[in-house]
Amino acid sequence: MEPLTWTGSLAVLTPILWTAAAAFVLLAAIRLIAGLFLASGDTVTQPDGTLSMTRGPLETLDLATRWAFYVILGVLAAFLVGGAVLGLGAGIIGGMAQRLIPVWIALALVIGVSLTFRRRLGLYGKLFGSTIGSVGFALVMFWVFAAFFGALDMIVTHDPLAQSGAMKNEVPGTFYTKMIGDIDEGAYPYYLLGGDNLGRDVFSRMIAGALVVVQIAPMATAFAFMVGITLGLPAAYYGGRLDTTLTFLANLILAFPVILLFYLLVTPEIVATGIPTYMAAVMFVFPIVFFTILLNSRYHTRPKLRLPLLIIVIGVLGWLYLSLISKRFGVLEVLPRWLDLFDIPGGILVVFVSVVFVNSPTVFRIVRGLGLDIKTRDYVAAAQTRGEGPWYIMLWELLPNARGPLIVDFCLRVGYTTILLGTLGFFGLGLPPESPDWGSTINDGRKLLAIYPHPALAPALALLSLVLGLNLLADGLREESLRD
Amino acid sequence: MAAFILRRLGVMIATALCLTFVVFYLTNLDPNLEKLAKTQGNVRMTDEQVDSWLAARGYDRNLFVKYGEWLGVVPGYVTQLDDGGVRGRCFGNADEVPPGAPSFCGVLQGDWGYSTVFRDEVGSIVATRLGLTGKLMGFVMLLMVPMALLIGVLAGMREGTRMDRSLSSFSILSTATPEYVSGVILITVFASSAVGLRWFKGTATSAMENATFENFFLPVLTIALFGMGYIARMTRASMAEVMQQQYIRTARLKGVSFRNVVLKHALRNALIAPFTVIMLQFPWLLNGVVIVETLFNYKGFGWTLVQAASNNDIELLLGVSVVSVFVVLITQLISDVGYVYLNPRIKVA
């Protein structure tokens, strides 16, 4: 069978795309240089008092650049829509667009609903007012949905771990064959993005790798935030010796080269001693402490509500906590097996712990800085005069007023955590060697990079687009939250 | 000022002591020592043999004593071997204790120990590798700092214009591209023999002796790109803030040309914040150095760190961490002192 081309029957559009792209780059460059020498068009006052602008050379250039850009977008959209309809008839891009149909539908639904109700959605709704923010949001949600539907087995074309001797390092669009055994009935006929050095499907591995990132990165960042907030607020509020000690400890961790820390924490020998599990046992207490103090400080004046609330929260979180840290045959076996809800695979837990450990001190510093600023405000003094307790002031007066910068930082930090996870995979630390996460895949692919770039390029671009999306999202949020 | 620096130096030394102790503790855990014994001695050693191997090299003693020996505040061990000879930390294997042998040999005496992987003195390894990485970093700084400042100043001098938006998008893109991604893309585009342009080389091994544009540009660009975006964004923010100050408006109103306002009035004040950022970038650059040196096979400091860490080479690892921790702390100190020096509004008691 013939290998697939990139665009298949839509190849007629390719020259248009390249022409438009070349024109766009050229026009943008000319516009930039011309902008230094030419003045923009004259403004003329109309008899009715309005201003009108004559079209000078700069405005014409602007218009042409914009049209070139619209043509590029149009052709790309045609590739995606046509591909989703035609499927493999439209080449590799068509095949991918068709496999991703559930993602397109979900994306369209979410964005459509959000746009309809944007006035009522607060900061989230305002996000759609900025182009940068919307693009970032779309990129992030694309990967979230890709990971979600990939986990439901709706997108992946082949088993991400299955190897085929005949497909080693084959280029994108190669017809799927096997050296030994027959091909299953109904198996997808192509390796859309080629095969890697063990003959695994690069496209399926890329989608499966998204799940690893989408599962770990936001969770780990959330944990880092709980640790950072629970320690940072008292450091800022009380100051004094507590502040000095905690800041010293935070700086201590920050002065450590991240990679050295990973190497020291994530090697199998250290994992065997159980140190990461003990660290997990300490760090995962923070969410329980955080929520207990949060609710207790608010409701301690209403014992009838507080008691059941705290019992439920501590009970549920405590059970989750114990199931999380207790591991059969591990160093900590606290819960009997029938009570243990789930076992996190050792590698994932260690990666999780080290990522939280590296992120917490930075969050601590940010929270402390914000807290030092906000605690001088009048409403804090008012709360003190009312006789509120220190934890109430910290969690219900300081924290809500620091939420803007914290939300922005959360988005940035999820991106940074994604980069860290990739770094861990790149050095082959923590996650199992055949794991499809993007860092490990890049690491596998880099040895033959000069000859077969595609196995490393696909996850690299995937990681780039996700982190870019998170950065754009953070930028859009920052812009929109500063506006009011 | 002197008191401030002294206090910072004190904190620095305390930090370095704590961190090296953590590294020492983690590398001296039992499973790590067992792995060390098996890689250095014999893979099929029994548990007793492992114990005696470790005992002969002084690994089986109290952690604090060992740390003190490494530091040079506790006299080095001397053990009797089975064949009648002696083995000491400061002189190795001998028939009897040599007369001139020092009793203390640690970091304070300038003895950084012996690398079990490279079979060489740690001090000389770290020095040569640091030199190689210094070369890499020098070029990175030469490329990164002027580019980043230029981008940031151009973007920040007229906020919200087309120039600002395109340059800001570029800096966001570059902060979102970690080294292992940009390295892969750059190698594919510029060095791959299958599809690429073949302008540059995909490895930098030959650059260790003889760095040329062809074999050295890609690694330098890879590190510079990731750091550039962040510095550019900070410079842009600081420039945009300065451009809104009263004195800029005054200068514009009294008829100073825009070029002179930017160059003479704004630039100096706008560059105070990026200075600290550049200095605080060093820890991150160290991270990038490790990735890039692994990716391009350039055997510098970062590559040594990976080798030492993956082989549990205790003394080399300690040497490497001391150096990197001091690099981080000294750049922090320079950044603080420089900030005070550049910004006359801040006084440190």
Side-chain angles (χ1 to χ4, degrees), chain A residues 157-203:
Chain A
T157 51
H158 297 273
D159 179 2
L161 300 184
Q163 307 179 2
S164 160
M167 300 301 290
K168 275 183 190 170
N169 294 320
E170 288 295 344
V171 291
T174 310
F175 190 70
Y176 177 54
T177 48
K178 266 170 127 178
M179 239 176 214
I180 309 155
D182 292 321
I183 293 166
D184 299 333
E185 196 75 12
Y188 199 76
Y190 291 96
Y191 267 17
L192 283 173
L193 289 178
D196 67 2
N197 59 346
L198 292 174
R200 296 169 294 195
D201 182 28
V202 172
F203 175 72

Side-chain angles (χ1 to χ4, degrees), chain A residues 16-17 20 66-76:
Chain A
I16 305 179
L17 179 68
R66 201 170 300 146
W67 274 105
F69 186 63
Y70 289 151
V71 172
I72 295 177
L73 284 187
V75 174
L76 290 180

Side-chain angles (χ1 to χ4, degrees), chain A residues 41 117 159 184 192 305 322 352 386 404 428 473 482:
Chain A
F117 298 106
D159 179 2
D184 299 333
L192 283 173
L305 179 63
L322 287 176
F352 198 89
R386 282 204 305 273
L473 182 63
L482 282 183

Side-chain angles (χ1 to χ4, degrees), chain B residues 65-78 88-92 100-114 121 315:
Chain B
V65 176
K66 283 191 284 184
Y67 182 67
E69 275 181 2
W70 175 79
L71 212 56
V73 293
V74 172
Y77 66 85
V78 178
R89 181 186 158 82
C90 305
F91 51 86
S103 55
F104 294 91
C105 50
V107 174
L108 292 179
Q109 284 79 31
D111 187 348
W112 288 79
Y114 186 78
E121 292 292 319
E315 292 188 326

Side-chain angles (χ1 to χ4, degrees), chain A residues 402-477:
Chain A
R403 70 180 183 280
L406 285 183
I407 292 172
V408 171
D409 187 69
F410 185 80
C411 288
L412 283 178
R413 202 148 290 285
V414 174
Y416 178 61
T417 310
T418 311
I419 293 180
L420 276 186
L421 287 175
T423 313
L424 278 170
F426 182 77
F427 286 104
L429 293 169
L431 298 161
E434 77 274 15
S435 150
D437 73 287
W438 294 333
S440 308
T441 323
I442 294 174
N443 183 34
D444 281 344
R446 77 182 161 89
K447 285 149 203 155
L448 292 172
L449 197 56
I451 319 165
Y452 304 113
H454 62 272
L457 206 54
L461 291 177
L463 196 141
L464 170 60
S465 61
L466 176 60
V467 179
L468 180 66
L470 286 160
N471 273 293
L472 293 177
L473 182 63
D475 227 52
L477 281 173

Side-chain angles (χ1 to χ4, degrees), chain B residues 109-125:
Chain B
Q109 284 79 31
D111 187 348
W112 288 79
Y114 186 78
S115 159
T116 46
V117 176
F118 295 100
R119 307 201 180 275
D120 197 0
E121 292 292 319
V122 168
S124 68
I125 295 177

Side-chain angles (χ1 to χ4, degrees), chain A residues 8 42 48 64 94 127 135 144 146 160 162 180 218 227 285 324 383 400 403 445 450 452 462:
Chain A
D42 297 325
D48 58 355
L127 181 66
V135 171
V144 171
I180 309 155
V227 177
V285 174
L324 196 69
R403 70 180 183 280
Y452 304 113

Side-chain angles (χ1 to χ4, degrees), chain A residues 35-55:
Chain A
L36 299 178
F37 302 106
L38 298 174
S40 49
D42 297 325
T43 45
V44 180
T45 315
Q46 304 279 339
D48 58 355
T50 53
L51 276 180
S52 79
M53 227 172 175
T54 54
R55 179 172 289 175

